[in-house]
Each structure stands twice: as structure tokens, then as C-alpha cells.
Amino acid sequence: AVGSAAMAEGEGLLSVDYEVFGKVQGVFFRKYTQREAQRLGLVGWVQNTSHNTVRGQIQGPTARVRELQEWLRKVGSPQSRISRAEFSNEKKITALEHKDFQILK
């Protein structure tokens, strides 16, 4: 696993905020997002907003972050209907700012 850690180091870590619009509340969207993030080894958080969107932050190796962005844009949970996903505050980071991927209330 030493090689893979060095590789992740080489491509750097990315942090990006996201907000997903559409039918994304009451459809287990947060749970699925957490599961997908954990599968990809990413950290961050997800929460419902008061205006019926889901938002959060993802951090991890750039390629993995890109995978989750794609998932948030196109896949989501089985019952969800994503109209669009917006990403902001993208930046390179030197260390992860979260220990795991949490669902916030």
C-alpha cells in the first residue's frame, strides 16, 4: 500500500463544495452519497438544505473527487431525480480537513 499512498500524494488532494438540485430529499440521497464517498475513500460531509437541495464538501485524491462529482451529477440514489449539480470553492489542499464522511443534520 506504500506505492498507492505515494501516488495519491503525487496527484494531490482536492477539496470541493457541492450542491445538488432536483428531487434529492426524502430519497436516501445523503445515505447513498456517504456510501459512495466511503467506497471511494473520500472524506467530507453531506446535508439537506432548507431549500430542498443537498449540499456538502468532498475532499480526497483528485481522481476520486472527480468520480464522486460525476456520481453527484448523474447517478445519485435510485429514487432521486437530479436536475443539476453545482461545484464551487475548488482548491488543492495539503491535508484532509475531515476524518470521515458524515451526514449532517
Side-chain angles (χ1 to χ4, degrees), residues 31-42 68 71:
K31 189 78 201 145
Y32 276 86
T33 301
Q34 181 187 50
R35 187 183 299 172
E36 190 64 14
Q38 288 170 340
R39 187 182 74 79
L40 291 167
L42 299 170
L68 190 61
W71 185 91

Side-chain angles (χ1 to χ4, degrees), residues 35-66:
R35 187 183 299 172
E36 190 64 14
Q38 288 170 340
R39 187 182 74 79
L40 291 167
L42 299 170
V43 300
W45 52 273
V46 60
Q47 73 180 161
N48 283 337
T49 71
S50 56
H51 49 276
N52 297 319
T53 65
V54 168
R55 70 180 196 105
Q57 186 175 67
I58 350 170
Q59 295 186 344
T62 303
R64 295 300 176 94
V65 169
R66 295 283 178 246

Side-chain angles (χ1 to χ4, degrees), residues 76-95:
S77 66
Q79 303 294 310
S80 67
R81 291 286 172 272
I82 300 165
S83 55
R84 72 181 193 279
E86 292 180 359
F87 301 99
S88 57
N89 301 323
E90 185 173 300
K91 58 181 190 283
K92 284 187 162 25
I93 52 173
T94 50

Side-chain angles (χ1 to χ4, degrees), residues 1-7:
V2 177
S4 63
M7 218 164 68

Side-chain angles (χ1 to χ4, degrees), residues 18 20 29 33 68-74 82 85 87:
Y18 63 89
V20 186
F29 200 91
T33 301
L68 190 61
Q69 285 181 289
E70 205 50 18
W71 185 91
L72 287 166
R73 199 181 279 127
K74 299 191 171 140
I82 300 165
F87 301 99

